Amino acid sequence: MALSTSAPALAGLRPVLNALPALTRALVQPASAAATTLFGNVEQAPKDPILGITEKFLADTNPIKMNLGVGAYRDDNGQPVVLDAVREAERRVAGSHFMEYLPIGGLRDFISESVKLAYSDDAAVLREGQVAAVQSLSGTGSCRLFADFQKRFMPGTKVFIPEPTWSNHFNIWRDAGVEFAKYRYYKPDTRGLDMDGFLEDIKRAPAGSVFLLHACAHNPTGVDPTPEQWRQLSRAMLERGHFPLFDMAYQGFASGDCDRDAASIRIFLGDGHRLGVSQSYAKNMGLYGQRVGCLSVVCDNKRDASAVESQLKAIARPMYSNPPLHGALLVTKILQDNDLKQLWFKEVKGMADRIISMRSLLRKRLEEAGSPLPWGHITDQIGMFAYSGMSPEMVDALAAQHHIYMTRNGRISMAGVNTKNVGRLAEAMHAVTSGKL
Ligand SMILES: Cc1ncc(COP(=O)(O)O)c(C=O)c1O
């Protein structure tokens, strides 16, 4: 509101006084026009590196476009798959009168089947009641629950994360307020495991650190330690008193055999480690959107397991109260019924085998396209992704010139490759790499 004074002495000051309210606003608020609204100073968050690719893919109107960014399984026609075992479990669950809240820790039978799948039916730690476990919101939710548990009950410890890793790992531990560091995992020269660097970093890390390990099908590199290397890593971590946390997002999906893919965990268990396991049924049962997973922690005894489990529930309660029911019922139906379980084993092997065969075909097509580069790593790697070695600029060229989308680290989701598009993918890769990686 403008000032109205008639005093002649103030007359000269009138323009300044009239401008005061605006001046005051300018001093307490940022200059941008947007800042005049309640959330005007909230900046756009950076796009998620993986989900941002899907947005670009959707915006591309060319019908030949290919999305090899997101890690979701597709059949040979590029279509999403609902497993027969899941369909049958849904039929059995349909019409169930049970729609109540689950307990905070989730569905009891689901949890006991999940830990058996991870540790094996006859694991001593299960018999002895040493395992604390809760149902979680898929693999991401398991990792986050553990990260919050680490913050509260392993004070001052850091988490060591492989370089490279699934990009969300950093966000999870950062948001939980846990300090993280990287350990050497992948050697670009050999496109294999940096075993010496890994062992050295285990030795150098402060005793009692948490080491985040991919149980199988390492994302994004597709490079897994051999059983003998896992044994060496286990011994090295035991010596330093580190706590291994296995992120197992792909059990069965790597080799087609759920026991073989859990070998790393079982080697560590055999060595007497206290450890954690994050399980997800997103990929191996195709239950992506159901958000169904399990977090378990192997403790020294039954008392500790009970205390840890109670604290995991105390962390979950204010975050989401209790986990979702439907997916957990499906998994339980499958794992409790031997026929359904065998059908699922067959189907998960089918998915793993299709990916393995696409690796061979992609390599063959690259060679047929005349690429002089050594593409052996594509068939040496395992799991959903091929870590191609292509640079961010090559990936950009694939998108701009060939309508093929993937993460800028050159990671190809092999689940999106099929007999119809593999030839075009190989030609395009040959074109953008033009003889060098
Ligand atoms: C290594 C790893 N951990 C965890 C996840 C989380 O998966 P979800 O939360 O869908 O179970 C993924 C998914 O891509 C992954 O690759």
Side-chain angles (χ1 to χ4, degrees):
M1 191 176 67
L3 277 174
S4 60
T5 173
S6 57
L10 287 179
L13 280 177
R14 196 172 294 142
V16 178
L17 292 170
N18 281 344
L20 265 182
L23 279 173
T24 317
R25 264 205 314 276
L27 281 175
V28 297
Q29 286 184 351
S32 84
T36 57
T37 60
L38 180 58
F39 298 116
N41 50 8
V42 178
E43 301 290 341
Q44 281 291 330
K47 279 198 196 316
D48 180 89
I50 298 170
L51 302 180
I53 312 256
T54 304
E55 281 180 35
K56 284 191 191 149
F57 168 78
L58 290 174
D60 186 334
T61 52
N62 194 312
I64 63 164
K65 65 184 177 178
M66 229 185 267
N67 187 357
L68 306 179
V70 70
Y73 185 76
R74 299 288 178 260
D75 66 12
D76 198 46
N77 294 312
Q79 295 304 310
V81 174
V82 179
L83 300 184
D84 287 341
V86 169
R87 289 242 189 260
E88 177 55 23
E90 283 209 295
R91 204 187 56 74
R92 295 185 192 181
V93 165
S96 154
H97 62 278
F98 187 70
M99 291 276 176
E100 296 297 305
Y101 288 131
L102 279 176
I104 305 171
L107 190 64
R108 209 54 249 171
D109 286 352
F110 162 81
I111 296 165
S112 55
E113 290 301 329
S114 295
V115 291
K116 278 195 282 178
L117 191 67
Y119 299 111
S120 87
D121 286 352
D122 55 357
V125 288
L126 294 177
R127 266 199 322 274
E128 300 301 323
Q130 285 171 253
V131 181
V134 292
Q135 187 186 327
S136 62
L137 271 61
S138 218
T140 309
S142 297
C143 288
R144 181 59 197 264
L145 265 185
F146 182 84
D148 277 15
F149 177 84
Q150 182 182 351
K151 173 75 183 168
R152 279 191 203 181
F153 298 102
M154 304 171 89
T157 58
K158 274 191 200 171
V159 62
F160 282 77
I161 294 179
E163 167 65 7
T165 193
W166 178 51
S167 54
N168 212 16
H169 280 147
F170 295 108
N171 308 333
I172 290 171
W173 268 270
R174 180 202 61 213
D175 279 9
V178 175
E179 210 185 321
F180 61 79
K182 295 176 184 176
Y183 65 83
R184 280 169 286 173
Y185 185 82
Y186 178 76
K187 211 172 192 172
D189 319 344
T190 60
R191 299 216 163 80
L193 187 71
D194 183 355
M195 189 64 179
D196 293 340
F198 196 166
L199 284 169
E200 236 176 79
D201 290 344
I202 290 173
K203 283 202 183 102
R204 278 198 205 145
S209 295
V210 170
F211 266 74
L212 174 68
L213 305 166
H214 295 223
C216 61
H218 183 273
N219 176 5
T221 66
V223 172
D224 284 348
T226 62
E228 185 39 45
Q229 286 171 324
W230 278 122
R231 276 183 209 104
Q232 255 182 289
L233 294 165
S234 167
R235 285 193 295 270
M237 285 195 205
L238 212 48
E239 264 170 39
R240 299 286 299 140
H242 296 324
F243 183 93
L245 172 68
F246 287 92
D247 182 357
M248 182 156 62
Y250 299 92
Q251 187 177 10
F253 215 93
S255 69
D257 177 334
C258 287
D259 286 323
R260 196 165 150 197
D261 287 354
S264 53
I265 294 173
R266 297 177 190 177
I267 287 169
F268 276 60
L269 263 190
D271 284 349
H273 275 277
R274 301 297 161 247
L275 53 84
V277 175
S278 159
Q279 287 170 266
S280 164
Y281 291 97
K283 324 278 176 172
N284 58 10
M285 284 201 190
L287 293 174
Y288 305 92
Q290 296 291 346
R291 312 311 292 145
V292 53
C294 181
L295 171 67
S296 52
V297 178
V298 176
C299 307
D300 284 307
N301 54 43
K302 213 169 172 167
R303 188 221 78 88
D304 292 2
S306 163
V308 168
E309 195 169 294
S310 72
Q311 293 294 350
L312 291 173
K313 290 180 201 167
I315 293 168
R317 174 67 170 149
M319 283 210 276
Y320 53 83
S321 262
N322 42 66
L325 172 65
H326 188 69
L329 281 177
L330 300 182
V331 173
T332 311
K333 286 273 176 240
I334 293 171
L335 296 181
Q336 278 186 333
D337 179 300
N338 196 42
D339 290 346
L340 269 191
K341 194 171 173 180
Q342 294 311 318
L343 174 60
W344 172 57
F345 283 156
K346 201 170 131 235
E347 291 190 287
V348 79
K349 182 164 180 355
M351 292 191 285
D353 285 350
R354 195 189 81 72
I355 289 180
I356 291 167
S357 71
M358 282 308 112
R359 288 181 179 280
S360 306
L361 199 55
L362 176 58
R363 182 177 168 187
K364 186 161 173 268
R365 291 281 181 272
L366 278 160
E367 284 157 6
E368 284 168 4
S371 176
L373 297 168
W375 291 106
H377 54 289
I378 289 185
T379 45
D380 293 344
Q381 296 164 357
I382 192 160
M384 198 173 238
F385 303 106
Y387 204 48
S388 66
M390 286 187 289
S391 67
E393 293 71 30
M394 291 171 186
V395 171
D396 292 344
L398 278 179
Q401 294 157 24
H402 302 276
H403 308 275
I404 297 173
Y405 295 85
M406 62 185 65
T407 48
R408 290 191 85 227
N409 58 5
R411 186 193 80 163
I412 302 171
S413 175
M414 291 304 298
V417 180
N418 55 53
T419 50
K420 285 116 195 159
N421 65 17
V422 65
R424 198 169 81 72
L425 172 64
E427 299 276 349
M429 284 171 69
H430 176 40
V432 300
T433 50
S434 57
K436 63 174 176 356
L437 271 182

